[in-house]
Amino acid sequence: MPRRTATMLASTLILIALLCAGVLIRVPYSEMSPGPTVNTLGDARGEPVLHISGHKTYPTSGNLNMTTVRVTGADYDMNIVEAVYGWLAHDSVVVPHDTLYPDGKTEEESTQENAEEFSQSQESAKVAALEELKIPVTSRVVVSTVVKDSAAEGVLHAGDVIEAVDGKAVEQPEDVAKLVTKHKPGEDVVFTVIPARTAAAAEKAGKEPEGSRDVTLTTRKAPEDPSNPSEDRAIVGIQAGTDHTFPFEVDIKLADVGGPSAGLMFSLGIIDKLTPDKLTGGKFIAGTGTIDDDGEVGPIGGINMKLVGARDAGARYFLTPDDNCSAAASDTPDGLTLVRVKTLHDAKKSLEKIRAGDTAGLPSCSKG
């Protein structure tokens, strides 16, 4: 066999062997890529994303698109070829598997956590939007969850309204833990609560709940914290949360989406539907960002993938959380203008400038 032919054959066999190895060898990485975007002012699967009843609404125009990121599943084993392709591709990013699924979290656990965060973001989006419009929302501290086999099991129930602990009124969920941990394990703590059924019946009738009662629980020692083994902290086995009563119905319907990052865009969509001025002025605006009850906008993951998804969908402006600005500015798709936001009020004011054509005054993102 001629030397050149032998060399080419050997090279081909080596290449085939390397490709086979690349396909067979698995690596601990996952891939993120742009997911679908959804106009919060429009429909999804044949029904409005935002449905408001019991209050006057107004026509809207343009787009206020929430953005998503598509990720590989927790049980998917990426091979070397896929990892290299992902590293080289502009519209995807390869990250360590533990970044998306820390502490060995399964795909089912991650999905459940994302669903809970999505539900909470919907509530906060509604609260923040109505507060921005000076529409009162009634809030109260409630029992969110009860830990199995804890001191509270069978005594307190999810949905019970917590009015006071040891006679001290509670206004925020964190107040409950602060008051309980003033005790030592084995001491009694008194909760003043309104049972969940009573509270639900009052809410249905449009009345303030009444009929509180005192419940005494004996605290127990919290599980040992490896970082602070000497800590002797008292617990009763509940997680406190906030329940809101809205003056009219605001329903957010969007399937197959999880996580808290759509909060800002939901809030803006609600505001647009409840006010006569069209926020977008007919323009295509996308964005992302968590939101809390006070309208503070927080950072999200996968910002660069969301920028690509927004640009591909046709967006011209992208509302960017302040803490994501540096990363977003380092790789902004052509034709997309980043608008920095810290609060819902910031975002609303920026939309008013875009509508008026005053884009030179928009707060921008910068690198570093």
Side-chain angles (χ1 to χ4, degrees):
M1 181 183 297
R3 180 177 298 177
R4 178 177 295 181
T5 301
T7 300
M8 291 180 62
L9 178 61
S11 299
T12 301
L13 291 175
I14 292 172
L15 179 60
I16 292 173
L18 289 173
L19 288 174
C20 289
V23 171
L24 294 174
I25 297 175
R26 302 295 167 171
V27 291
Y29 290 95
S30 295
E31 185 180 57
M32 301 170 64
S33 59
T37 74
V38 179
N39 185 11
T40 61
L41 302 176
D43 293 350
R45 297 188 176 181
E47 60 181 350
V49 175
L50 301 174
H51 180 267
I52 299 173
S53 59
H55 193 282
K56 182 176 177 58
T57 58
Y58 300 86
T60 60
S61 66
N63 288 61
L64 284 172
N65 278 42
M66 56 154 288
T67 51
T68 64
V69 173
R70 185 179 285 112
V71 300
T72 52
D75 299 327
Y76 181 77
D77 293 324
M78 179 176 286
N79 60 49
I80 291 179
V81 172
E82 291 170 321
V84 171
Y85 179 82
W87 278 319
L88 296 176
H90 181 69
D91 59 351
S92 66
V93 60
V94 174
V95 297
H97 185 275
D98 290 345
T99 301
L100 300 178
Y101 304 99
D103 303 322
K105 187 182 297 181
T106 66
E107 188 168 353
E108 183 178 352
E109 290 171 336
S110 180
T111 299
Q112 177 62 31
E113 182 178 302
N114 285 337
E116 292 172 357
E117 290 178 339
F118 185 63
S119 177
Q120 180 57 52
S121 76
Q122 292 177 325
E123 288 297 294
S124 293
K126 292 187 281 188
V127 174
L130 298 191
E131 293 287 351
E132 176 67 21
L133 296 175
K134 310 301 181 187
I135 299 174
V137 176
T138 302
S139 302
R140 56 197 182 210
V141 179
V142 298
V143 176
S144 179
T145 56
V146 179
V147 178
K148 184 176 176 59
D149 297 326
S150 67
E153 186 180 24
V155 183
L156 296 180
H157 304 85
D160 287 349
V161 178
I162 305 173
E163 292 193 315
V165 177
D166 290 332
K168 295 180 175 63
V170 297
E171 297 181 355
Q172 302 293 334
E174 52 267 28
D175 294 342
V176 177
K178 289 178 182 177
L179 291 167
V180 169
T181 53
K182 286 185 176 181
H183 291 270
K184 294 180 180 180
E187 293 183 346
D188 288 343
V189 57
V190 179
F191 280 74
T192 302
V193 300
I194 298 175
R197 286 186 179 181
T198 303
E203 181 177 344
K204 188 174 182 180
K207 301 178 180 178
E208 284 295 318
E210 299 177 348
S212 61
R213 60 190 178 93
D214 288 344
V215 174
T216 301
L217 298 171
T218 302
T219 61
R220 298 178 184 176
K221 183 179 178 180
E224 188 173 287
D225 182 356
S227 64
N228 190 4
S230 62
E231 184 181 33
D232 200 19
R233 185 166 56 91
I235 60 171
V236 294
I238 67 164
Q239 179 70 45
T242 305
D243 181 63
H244 305 288
T245 301
F246 299 98
F248 50 87
E249 183 181 353
V250 181
D251 193 16
I252 301 174
K253 292 185 178 180
L254 193 58
D256 302 326
V257 175
S261 65
L264 170 63
M265 303 311 291
F266 284 145
S267 287
L268 290 170
I270 293 168
I271 290 173
D272 202 358
K273 285 179 173 285
L274 291 174
T275 51
D277 295 329
K278 295 179 174 63
L279 277 184
T280 69
K283 295 182 172 57
F284 196 136
I285 297 159
T288 189
T290 66
I291 202 160
D292 64 17
D293 292 358
D294 297 322
E296 296 289 330
V297 176
I300 52 79
I303 184 65
N304 296 103
M305 295 299 97
K306 292 187 174 186
L307 296 177
V308 173
R311 189 273 315 276
D312 290 347
R316 296 287 304 280
Y317 301 89
F318 193 93
L319 303 179
T320 312
D322 181 61
D323 288 342
N324 289 124
C325 258
S326 179
S330 68
D331 191 18
T332 307
D334 292 339
L336 194 63
T337 299
L338 302 183
V339 181
R340 176 171 48 85
V341 295
K342 293 183 178 180
T343 67
L344 174 61
H345 188 71
D346 288 345
K348 183 170 174 287
K349 289 298 182 183
S350 289
L351 291 182
E352 292 172 358
K353 289 184 178 182
I354 292 172
R355 185 178 71 231
D358 181 23
T359 55
L362 290 173
S364 60
C365 293
S366 59
K367 300 178 183 179

